[in-house]
Amino acid sequence: GGSKMPPPPPPLPKTYHSSAKQFERPLSSGRQAFQVNPDSAHIKGVGQPLAHRSAHLQVTGEAEYIDDLPPKHRMLFSALVLSSVPHADILRVDAKKALAMPGVRGYFGAEAINGVNEVGHWGDEELFASKTVHCVGQLIGILVADTHRQAVEAAQQVAVEYKQKPAILSIKDAIKAKSWLGEQDGYLLSRGDAPKAMATAEMTVEGEMRIGGQEHFYLETQCSEAIPGENGEMTILASTQNPNTTIECVAHNLGVPVHKVVCKVKRMGGAFGGKETRSVNYSAAAAVAAEKLGRPVRIVLDRNVDMATSGQRHAFIGRYKVGFRRDGLLTALDVKLYSNAGWCQDLSIPVMHRGLFHVDNVYYVPNIRAHGFACKTNLPSHTAFRGFGGPQGLMVAEAAIDHVARALNIPGEALRERNLYQEGQSTHFGQVLTHCTVSRAWRECKARAQFERRKKEASSFNQENRWRKRGVALVPTKFGIAFTAKFMNQGGALVHIYTDGSVLVTHGGTEMGQGLHTKMIQVAAGALGVPIDYVHIAETATDKVPNTSPTAASMSSDINGMAVFRACNKIAERLKPLRDSMPKGTSWKQLIHKAYFDRINLSAQGFYKVPDVGYDFKTQSGPGFSYFSYGVACAEVEVDVLTGDHQVLSTHIVMDVGNSLNPAIDIGQIEGAFTQGMGLFTLEEMIWGDSDHKWLRPGTLMTQGPGAYKIPSFNDVPLEFNISLLKNAPNPKAIHSSKAIGEPPLFLAASVFYAIKDALAHARGESCEEQKGGGGGGRRAGGGVKSGPFPLDSPATAERIRMACPDDLTKALGIPDSIRPLGSW
């Protein structure tokens, strides 16, 4: 009486076979297409794809950063004493135990400051908290010792007693409490009559887009050296984008005039905006200790301390309503933007301004109302980050576009193309678009990527694979170039020519790996007509070029390039009569040698201010930007529906950089910005102890360090990565008809996000068909898949991708089809 064997299970459908395969990772490949500027062929060096001037030092490890410098005589090392609660009154600070530890030389807090205990420009932030702490990680004091390890260990022994107060830890909490920074009524941009147009629109949709924050994760953490001199002098060697604010704040804290303080910057190991203002606090803290002890003090933050204290990209929530016609023409857009600003202003108001400026992306909408609020929360003050609010505003615009396209059941690229800005149209803040190249870049990118072929091939792939889906998306961008604060649109330079003919250039910009110094050397060599190797930039220093603007807003080549150009032209004009009088074939060195003995001034200062820029939010008038940079990207992805993993199969980018000063550096910036944008939109997730994460300590950042926070790696680079610089697109508004490059390409990574969403739409449509009893893999006649609008928050992590694909597995586990995974916003 043996029992019968059960019948063998039916064979898996062929469409299921790919579910057992892992992603294969061949080497990435790519092509770069560019045009050497034809207008500058007669100018030495300008427009040539030259290597970064420090590249050989960086790849060999010879380039020196702050912590590589040999310690100065009698140098001490420091660590910070930080708040451990998000909001509290300080009852007592006891450093006795720490001061008794080996090697400890002193502890300094608010009482040690001779000047004013204040940093920043708004009067709302203390260097060292004196009575109240407003976030976990706020500076309370600095502990100084003979070694870094001794300082770190001793700082942990400083006891702080608190009386805790209620804390606001998310945008949701801030909206409920109406906790805002800046104008309590928010900030408004409008054109036409959005409410009236919405009421009469043929169709409307509304929704909410959530965009998480992002850690800068520069390779070199925040660091500085403070070196006291005689008579109240202080020299700061800093890893900062903002030498001028550094010396202003240090002088303010020490109670000395600014002319007693000098800041020097050789280079930074990355910054991305994180060292525009937040670096100042660490330099000032070290300077207070150095002044008290009369000894040099170095501060170098450990990665976890850097991430917990220095702020990140602002998380945003965008609530939108769109009015449109059935043929896809947009008629009205009403947007509310909310940013998680942290506890003090820092740069959160101009970040919100830029977000509001960019809620239109590249689309003409006759009626727009955009209202922004910077939410005051008990988190570290969030700060500048490549794009400066622009990517968040742009992402809300694209979420609205995607929503409309799905509501109309038309391809997203068709709706985007239908509404592109045209030459001569104006933005919602009244700026007329001139030299608008977005349509040309769109057509070129579509052709280079063979977009229609890719869409058809992806559709065929999706019919043949149930648990692997491919998606393709074409996404454009428009990015305004200027500091939104008018006074910051200025640059300076100082040029010296020595008697051997060599040229030393100093300008107001700082080098953080982006190649600014290389471009400035090219500009100087071109203006003077000398070989590149004759020109050198040693460092950025406030005693050479004063009152500098930070290296930010993608403006540094524009403002400093023109300043360098003007300084060199002054010298060239002085040399011209002498050059004309000398025999043909006279060398540069002979010319300079003769000029010196003829007592010709071989030194010049240059200055430049950007004309016709400066929007006033109160009067709602003025040009917001000097010009706009445009670009378009096409991305193709493959998604593993069962795990939420994805792979970027290809990316094609067409970017308008005007007449490039250096195509090699510009292409490198595009590659880097795009990859960092992929991190923002698909991978990097900040998780804080807030109301949605109650198992964490309130106000504490869980995702500290590379173990918990993942930035893009080699494995995340698109398998095919092609970049083309738009040809014959000179920009009359900048040096040698070039365009800014640092920030504009970052948003193009949204093409990966929306390609993922395209793949998810296919998966959701197939699940929908199966639930209706379609079976057989869920195909419909014609191979198309219906999927209505659905939310996908950023970043599109594996968890969010998986939860956006409801199926029999999620149903068996009782997971609702409409689940929207939590995040820290």
Side-chain angles (χ1 to χ4, degrees):
S3 61
K4 290 183 179 181
M5 295 291 289
L12 282 173
K14 192 175 179 181
T15 56
Y16 282 38
H17 288 186
S18 60
S19 64
K21 296 179 181 178
Q22 293 184 340
F23 283 124
E24 295 180 0
R25 186 56 171 90
L27 289 173
S28 292
S29 62
R31 298 187 305 275
Q32 295 85 38
F34 60 89
Q35 173 187 42
V36 175
N37 181 1
D39 295 336
S40 64
H42 64 288
I43 306 173
K44 291 193 177 186
V46 174
Q48 300 298 316
L50 302 181
H52 191 294
R53 299 299 284 173
S54 297
H56 62 293
L57 297 175
Q58 289 166 316
V59 299
T60 60
E62 296 174 87
E64 287 190 332
Y65 299 87
I66 297 295
D67 207 29
D68 296 322
L69 300 174
K72 308 293 185 295
H73 179 58
R74 300 177 71 235
M75 174 166 275
L76 299 171
F77 298 83
S78 61
L80 299 170
V81 175
L82 305 169
S83 60
S84 58
V85 295
H87 194 200
D89 291 329
I90 298 173
L91 300 180
R92 185 173 61 92
V93 179
D94 186 354
K96 290 178 183 176
K97 186 176 179 181
L99 291 170
M101 294 176 69
V104 173
R105 299 294 177 175
Y107 166 78
F108 307 99
E111 71 288 343
I113 295 176
N114 290 337
V116 181
N117 183 19
E118 186 180 288
V119 286
H121 296 290
W122 313 109
D124 65 343
E125 182 177 8
E126 292 182 314
L127 174 58
F128 296 131
S130 59
K131 296 179 180 178
T132 305
V133 295
H134 300 273
C135 69
V136 173
Q138 187 174 349
L139 276 63
I140 295 174
I142 185 169
L143 197 293
V144 182
D146 290 340
T147 70
H148 175 73
R149 180 180 290 275
Q150 288 173 335
V152 170
E153 291 176 352
Q156 293 169 354
Q157 299 304 314
V158 176
V160 184
E161 188 179 336
Y162 304 99
K163 181 181 178 182
Q164 296 209 42
K165 304 170 78 169
I168 294 172
L169 300 171
S170 67
I171 291 175
K172 180 173 63 177
D173 293 344
I175 293 173
K176 187 176 180 180
K178 294 187 177 180
S179 176
W180 320 124
L181 288 169
E183 296 292 337
Q184 296 302 293
D185 293 330
Y187 299 88
L188 182 69
L189 289 177
S190 66
R191 171 176 60 193
D193 190 335
K196 183 178 179 181
M198 205 73 69
T200 58
E202 292 181 11
M203 296 179 70
T204 63
V205 297
E206 54 188 308
E208 180 177 281
M209 181 66 190
R210 305 166 185 169
I211 305 117
Q214 185 182 25
E215 164 61 29
H216 303 89
F217 221 102
Y218 24 68
L219 292 182
E220 180 192 35
T221 60
Q222 301 275 7
C223 53
S224 181
E225 283 186 5
I227 307 162
E230 61 185 34
N231 196 27
E233 294 175 343
M234 185 69 68
T235 299
I236 306 293
L237 307 181
S239 182
T240 182
Q241 298 168 247
N242 200 341
N244 192 64
T245 298
T246 298
I247 63 171
E248 288 179 345
C249 285
V250 168
H252 202 45
N253 300 146
L254 298 183
V256 300
V258 176
H259 67 216
K260 292 288 185 75
V261 185
V262 175
C263 181
K264 298 181 178 182
V265 182
K266 183 74 172 178
R267 62 173 62 86
M268 287 166 274
F272 308 116
K275 298 175 182 177
E276 182 176 345
T277 56
R278 305 317 294 169
S279 61
V280 172
N281 300 42
Y282 309 110
S283 293
V288 168
E291 188 269 337
K292 285 295 180 186
L293 295 170
R295 296 174 64 174
V297 173
R298 178 182 293 181
I299 183 168
V300 179
L301 299 194
D302 292 338
R303 178 66 64 184
N304 64 318
V305 175
D306 188 301
M307 291 184 71
T309 66
S310 63
Q312 288 83 24
R313 185 189 295 278
H314 294 68
F316 266 61
I317 290 178
R319 295 173 178 170
Y320 60 83
K321 186 174 183 180
V322 192
F324 52 97
R325 298 189 332 203
R326 288 183 175 83
D327 64 1
L329 194 71
L330 304 176
T331 59
L333 175 65
D334 198 349
V335 174
K336 281 192 175 179
L337 296 183
Y338 300 93
S339 69
N340 192 328
W343 76 271
C344 62
Q345 278 202 40
D346 188 63
L347 297 170
S348 294
I349 304 308
V351 164
M352 177 53 71
H353 288 171
R354 189 170 280 269
L356 294 170
F357 281 131
H358 286 80
V359 294
D360 58 338
N361 195 3
V362 297
Y363 311 114
Y364 178 75
V365 186
N367 301 282
I368 293 184
R369 181 173 64 181
H371 203 178
F373 295 86
C375 297
K376 182 178 182 179
T377 61
N378 293 110
L379 296 180
S381 184
H382 294 308
T383 190
F385 196 141
R386 197 178 201 165
F388 203 77
Q392 295 96 313
L394 293 164
M395 194 60 160
V396 173
E398 287 301 325
I401 286 286
D402 179 80
H403 196 154
V404 171
R406 296 190 188 283
L408 290 169
N409 197 25
I410 63 174
E413 65 275 7
L415 184 72
R416 290 178 171 97
E417 190 167 352
R418 175 83 170 84
N419 290 280
L420 290 177
Y421 272 122
Q422 301 300 319
E423 179 78 11
Q425 288 182 325
S426 63
T427 66
H428 58 295
F429 48 93
Q431 185 156 352
V432 176
L433 298 179
T434 59
H435 303 88
C436 179
T437 58
V438 65
S439 293
R440 186 152 70 94
W442 176 274
R443 292 191 298 269
E444 184 172 322
C445 186
K446 200 172 182 181
R448 285 182 175 273
Q450 297 182 300
F451 180 77
E452 299 300 339
R453 175 185 64 79
R454 287 184 186 277
K455 289 278 284 189
K456 288 178 182 177
E457 290 177 356
S459 179
S460 297
F461 178 90
N462 291 337
Q463 290 183 58
E464 296 166 4
N465 294 274
R466 174 62 183 94
W467 304 110
R468 289 288 182 91
K469 297 298 176 186
R470 290 184 178 177
V472 186
L474 195 65
V475 174
T477 191
K478 167 179 64 67
F479 195 85
I481 305 301
F483 286 101
T484 51
K486 182 177 180 178
F487 73 91
M488 296 173 73
N489 292 285
Q490 57 177 297
L494 180 65
V495 176
H496 300 314
I497 301 177
Y498 295 91
T499 54
D500 66 348
S502 62
V503 181
L504 180 65
V505 174
T506 308
H507 61 88
T510 56
E511 177 64 47
M512 61 192 90
Q514 84 280 36
L516 175 63
H517 283 352
T518 302
K519 287 185 174 181
M520 297 303 94
I521 287 171
Q522 289 176 272
V523 168
L528 294 172
V530 300
I532 291 289
D533 291 340
Y534 280 36
V535 185
H536 178 63
I537 295 177
E539 62 185 6
T540 306
T542 56
D543 57 351
K544 306 296 189 301
V545 180
N547 309 321
T548 59
S549 292
T551 304
S554 305
M555 281 295 290
S556 298
S557 290
D558 289 11
I559 57 177
N560 297 299
M562 282 300 297
V564 168
F565 182 73
R566 288 182 170 184
C568 291
N569 275 354
K570 286 181 181 179
I571 300 174
E573 289 171 7
R574 295 173 196 154
L575 291 172
K576 188 177 185 304
L578 180 62
R579 186 194 294 269
D580 292 344
S581 70
M582 296 182 74
K584 190 175 182 181
T586 298
S587 70
W588 171 257
K589 292 183 178 180
Q590 291 171 330
L591 174 65
I592 296 303
H593 185 76
K594 174 66 171 166
Y596 170 72
F597 282 99
D598 279 7
R599 297 179 296 174
I600 294 174
N601 185 358
L602 296 175
S603 181
Q605 186 261 353
F607 179 79
Y608 178 71
K609 63 178 181 180
V610 180
D612 305 321
V613 70
Y615 185 85
D616 187 327
F617 267 80
K618 291 182 178 178
T619 62
Q620 298 251 317
S621 63
F625 302 102
S626 178
Y627 59 90
F628 295 90
S629 288
Y630 301 93
V632 181
C634 175
E636 181 179 10
V637 304
E638 185 174 323
V639 171
D640 186 328
V641 175
L642 292 175
T643 67
D645 195 9
H646 75 277
Q647 188 174 60
V648 184
L649 303 178
S650 70
T651 294
H652 293 74
I653 294 174
V654 174
M655 196 75 205
D656 173 11
V657 299
N659 289 344
S660 174
L661 292 175
N662 185 319
I665 284 177
D666 285 351
I667 288 170
Q669 285 292 292
I670 294 167
E671 291 171 337
F674 182 88
T675 305
Q676 195 166 48
M678 282 201 304
L680 169 63
F681 295 131
T682 69
L683 189 63
E684 302 177 44
E685 185 165 31
M686 313 291 302
I687 298 295
W688 296 87
D690 53 32
S691 57
D692 283 339
H693 304 90
K694 293 182 179 178
W695 59 92
L696 299 175
R697 288 180 59 189
T700 301
L701 177 63
M702 184 190 81
T703 46
Q704 292 182 26
Y709 186 83
K710 299 299 181 182
I711 64 173
S713 67
F714 299 114
N715 198 50
D716 299 297
V717 174
L719 301 187
E720 182 187 8
F721 199 4
N722 298 323
I723 294 172
S724 175
L725 304 185
L726 194 67
K727 295 181 179 179
N728 302 317
N731 171 36
K733 296 291 187 74
I735 179 75
H736 293 309
S737 300
S738 63
K739 275 193 174 183
I741 192 59
E743 295 169 294
L746 184 137
F747 181 71
L748 293 178
S751 61
V752 174
F753 180 94
Y754 286 101
I756 290 171
K757 197 167 185 182
D758 183 47
L760 297 183
H762 286 276
R764 290 167 65 89
E766 200 153 342
S767 293
C768 181
E769 292 294 319
E770 288 175 351
Q771 289 171 12
K772 291 177 182 177
R779 296 189 211 102
R780 295 190 296 110
V785 175
K786 282 187 177 179
S787 179
F790 64 98
L792 181 66
D793 295 322
S794 173
T797 57
E799 296 88 343
R800 290 195 177 89
I801 291 172
R802 180 63 186 95
M803 290 298 99
C805 298
D807 52 34
D808 290 342
L809 294 175
T810 58
K811 187 176 181 181
L813 292 170
I815 299 172
D817 288 356
S818 59
I819 188 171
R820 196 165 181 175
L822 302 176
S824 288
W825 327 103

